[in-house]
Amino acid sequence: MPSLQRPTLGENTSRPSRFLIAPVMAAIFAMGQANAADTLDTACKTTAECQAQVAKIQGVVKGDATSALSKSQDTFYWFGRINMASTVVNAEQGIIPKAQAGRIARGVEHSITQAATPGGKRPTDVLQVEKIITDAVGPEATLIHTGRSRQDIHSTLNAAQLRLEMLDFADALDQVRARLITTAQAHTATYVPAYTNGVQAMPISYGHYLMAWADSFARDSARIREAYARINLSPMGTAVLSNSSWGINRERLAQLLGFDGLIVNSLDAGQISTYDIPIEATSIAGSTAIRVGAFMQDVHTQYHQTRPWLLLASGKTYTSSAMPQKANPGIIQNTRAKASDVVASAQASLWRAHNVTPGMIDYKNTWSPASAKTFVQGVEMLQQFADVLDSLRIDPARALDELESEWTTSMELAEALQRSHGVPFRVGHHFASDVVLFAKERNIRPKDFPYAEAVRIYREAGKKYDLKDQRLPLGEAAFRRALSPADMVTTRTGTGGPQPQEVTRMATVAKDTLAKDRVWSGEARQRLLGAEAALNAAFEGVKSLP
């Protein structure tokens, strides 16, 4: 994939002129005006207001959950839901006698509702929750623990928490994709340089560039859908690792807890799937983060230049405390740093599982908010990325000027000779190379290159290759068109190219794919809500027993 990295400071990208200084400075402050030029502009009345002010211009977000829903569905919440499901299933199967079922269910309800009262408790050990229940209704309430263990309980709640964090990550990723596609559609005719091996290579459109990233992130959305099918399988009812002597209805437990099926093998369910499934999930977040960081770096290189064509909007940068001319892109820097944190977090899941025997706790929830925060940081990263995309300000004229300051269209010169006049490509390539050498030695821009010199250079190339006709077959107008960045982009052909009509087509397809991905996410969430309602209704039925 081409990069949009700019030359480093000191490289000659256009003819220097002292008359450019004023308009360049005006452009910089118009596109990315520094925020908080003096202390009067940083006044804030409360700590929260001060932090919000910094977050706005630096993109600093420090949360503890991927969403409010995820935060509410903590370990204690899932103890309650699993206890409810166990009560329903064990009552249905006669493990809990009908005469005791209602009272036990009311004890389970008490353990949940007491947490919201003054002095209430939210234990993180299932036995502590069990004590709250038995204190309320007696020791027979331990019948809900028949055929189960901390092992399958924690494996189940970890899977339930992971699936929700993955859905939150998917939705945040879809927001980024939507912004990339919308911005791409607005810039199908904005011509920018693309780079290979760190050197300006060819002109493309900015829309073509953005669609490359959008398609890349669409693959992540596909990976999430595929991984979700493996994540949303239930370990519940397998006890420690080999089931129990009780005929626990695992399928019914899975249904009530919102799972789409079972991890069938009981050893796999609680002790082995807990390795590979989180590693698969976090690797998706890590892969996304690597590309988010690369995008940020591509944008950030513009801030090395005195004449950027891509900057952040006014109000999204902050000034140096000492150097008034600086507009520091804090939100870009912090998004890139957050991406690095996500990559590191994903590696934590891998390393915690490395060389650890099955059955150990090391690897079982490394990704979680209580540990590496893979998806908490991943969602924050994507939210910051979306903010960057909303804040980008592109100067098409300056981007075109940069293209016209370099010889990125020289390949088209060789191709035009071959395509229109049958000149062997190597001959055309040699001619174009000599044109570029002549121009760079004399600091000549493509559109200013003397046509007479082109005629002379082609004649010399023709002699070297023993061409019968050594006259340049391109007239001056055709020669100029071949060196035009805009013409080079618009004359591309083939699927996936940068030509405006093809970028428009790709954006339309991408929007359709995005819409389907959003439907998938919505349906997955709806199924979870349906399971929640079904469990509530079934539990109420048991609780109403005398």
Side-chain angles (χ1 to χ4, degrees):
M1 183 186 300
S3 167
L4 293 184
Q5 292 180 358
R6 296 284 317 272
T8 57
L9 278 174
E11 291 189 26
N12 187 11
T13 58
S14 62
R15 290 177 175 174
S17 170
R18 61 188 177 89
F19 299 108
L20 286 174
I21 294 175
V24 166
M25 292 306 294
I28 288 175
F29 280 97
M31 292 177 68
Q33 186 174 358
N35 229 40
D38 56 58
T39 52
L40 293 177
D41 296 327
T42 59
C44 48
K45 298 176 182 177
T46 65
T47 299
E49 188 177 321
C50 294
Q51 291 173 340
Q53 191 179 90
V54 171
K56 181 180 179 182
I57 58 176
Q58 294 195 29
V60 177
V61 182
K62 293 183 178 179
D64 53 5
T66 54
S67 64
L69 180 62
S70 179
K71 184 173 183 177
S72 70
Q73 294 189 1
D74 59 4
T75 298
F76 176 79
Y77 168 86
W78 280 108
F79 284 161
R81 300 304 290 181
I82 291 169
N83 282 340
M84 288 170 65
S86 293
T87 302
V88 169
V89 173
N90 289 358
E92 289 175 348
Q93 294 187 267
I95 296 171
I96 297 177
K98 188 174 181 180
Q100 298 175 353
R103 188 171 74 259
I104 291 173
R106 290 188 287 275
V108 170
E109 182 184 51
H110 166 71
S111 72
I112 296 169
T113 58
Q114 62 80 33
T117 63
K121 296 176 288 188
R122 296 182 69 86
T124 56
D125 186 319
V126 70
L127 293 184
Q128 293 173 329
V129 176
E130 184 178 287
K131 184 66 165 61
I132 295 173
I133 301 171
T134 56
D135 282 351
V137 299
E140 61 268 32
T142 58
L143 288 170
I144 65 173
H145 200 63
T146 303
R148 71 181 197 182
S149 163
R150 278 197 187 100
Q151 296 292 326
D152 61 338
I153 290 172
H154 279 273
S155 296
T156 300
L157 71 87
N158 285 344
Q161 290 173 329
L162 179 58
R163 73 185 175 195
L164 181 54
E165 292 194 14
M166 283 289 281
L167 289 174
D168 289 342
F169 186 84
D171 288 346
L173 184 62
D174 287 347
Q175 291 291 334
V176 166
R177 290 168 60 196
R179 283 164 170 79
L180 286 167
I181 295 166
T182 299
T183 309
Q185 288 177 309
H187 289 282
T188 59
T190 298
Y191 305 114
V192 301
Y195 288 71
T196 59
N197 299 305
V199 180
Q200 191 175 137
M202 297 177 72
I204 58 173
S205 72
Y206 195 53
H208 186 238
Y209 172 83
L210 292 175
M211 283 309 306
W213 294 98
D215 288 351
S216 158
F217 293 126
R219 289 193 293 275
D220 288 337
S221 293
R223 293 177 182 116
I224 289 169
R225 291 196 310 273
E226 293 160 4
Y228 187 86
R230 288 179 284 277
I231 291 166
N232 200 33
L233 297 177
S234 174
M236 197 62 212
T238 57
V240 178
L241 53 83
S242 63
N243 292 357
S244 72
S245 60
W246 295 90
I248 303 297
N249 188 338
R250 292 189 61 203
E251 290 78 7
R252 178 68 167 148
L253 284 168
Q255 180 188 52
L256 292 173
L257 294 170
F259 291 96
D260 295 328
L262 301 178
I263 298 177
V264 176
N265 184 288
S266 61
L267 175 61
D268 183 25
Q271 311 303 333
I272 298 177
S273 66
T274 44
Y275 278 89
D276 66 291
I277 289 176
I279 289 172
E280 178 184 11
T282 56
S283 70
I284 296 170
S287 176
T288 301
I290 285 172
R291 278 167 284 127
V292 171
F295 188 100
M296 292 304 118
Q297 185 63 13
D298 239 5
V299 177
H300 197 229
T301 55
Q302 291 289 311
Y303 280 83
H304 299 174
Q305 311 309 314
T306 55
R307 297 183 64 210
W309 57 265
L310 184 64
L311 286 173
L312 294 176
S314 175
K316 286 296 182 180
T317 59
Y318 65 95
T319 191
S320 161
S321 63
M323 295 163 281
Q325 85 284 2
K326 290 191 72 183
N328 297 318
I331 190 171
I332 293 173
Q333 295 166 180
N334 285 309
T335 303
R336 185 178 58 215
K338 184 69 73 176
S340 296
D341 290 341
V342 175
V343 173
S345 172
Q347 291 303 303
S349 290
L350 190 66
W351 282 107
R352 282 279 290 272
H354 179 249
N355 280 347
V356 178
T357 55
M360 303 304 290
I361 198 171
D362 307 47
Y363 51 83
K364 290 189 175 180
N365 69 339
T366 316
W367 49 270
S368 73
S371 187
K373 297 187 175 182
T374 305
F375 294 101
V376 172
Q377 296 186 103
V379 168
E380 290 177 359
M381 170 193 72
L382 292 170
Q383 290 170 341
Q384 291 174 217
F385 188 8
D387 196 7
V388 169
L389 291 171
D390 286 343
S391 305
L392 289 180
R393 296 297 179 266
I394 299 108
D395 184 346
R398 171 66 194 108
L400 182 60
D401 179 64
E402 181 163 320
L403 281 168
E404 291 178 337
S405 300
E406 184 53 279
W407 285 82
T408 51
T409 56
S410 59
M411 189 179 85
E412 172 62 10
L413 185 58
E415 285 192 350
L417 287 166
Q418 179 183 359
R419 186 174 61 247
S420 302
H421 301 281
V423 176
F425 179 76
R426 195 52 57 196
V427 177
H429 187 280
H430 179 82
F431 160 67
S433 180
D434 283 352
V435 167
V436 172
L437 288 174
F438 182 91
K440 289 199 169 185
E441 286 173 356
R442 294 160 181 79
N443 198 26
I444 302 173
R445 287 157 57 105
K447 64 182 180 182
D448 299 325
F449 194 87
Y451 180 70
E453 288 297 336
V455 170
R456 179 188 64 77
I457 292 170
Y458 185 83
R459 185 167 56 248
E460 292 176 0
K463 291 177 182 177
K464 179 176 180 178
Y465 285 92
D466 295 326
L467 294 183
K468 291 181 180 179
D469 188 353
Q470 297 172 2
R471 293 172 299 174
L472 177 61
L474 296 174
E476 183 167 1
F479 176 76
R480 300 289 176 209
R481 281 197 301 274
L483 293 178
S484 163
D487 273 65
M488 184 170 178
V489 173
T490 57
T491 57
R492 299 302 90 186
T493 61
T495 304
Q499 60 271 33
Q501 66 273 23
E502 178 61 5
V503 173
T504 298
R505 185 196 68 79
M506 288 190 289
T508 300
V509 172
K511 286 179 74 174
D512 290 342
T513 301
L514 174 60
K516 292 174 183 176
D517 288 343
R518 283 176 158 167
V519 167
W520 171 84
S521 178
E523 289 176 345
R525 289 180 182 276
Q526 213 43 56
R527 286 194 299 274
L528 295 180
L529 288 174
E532 181 180 326
L535 175 53
N536 289 344
F539 185 75
E540 284 298 317
V542 176
K543 193 181 72 173
S544 66
L545 294 172

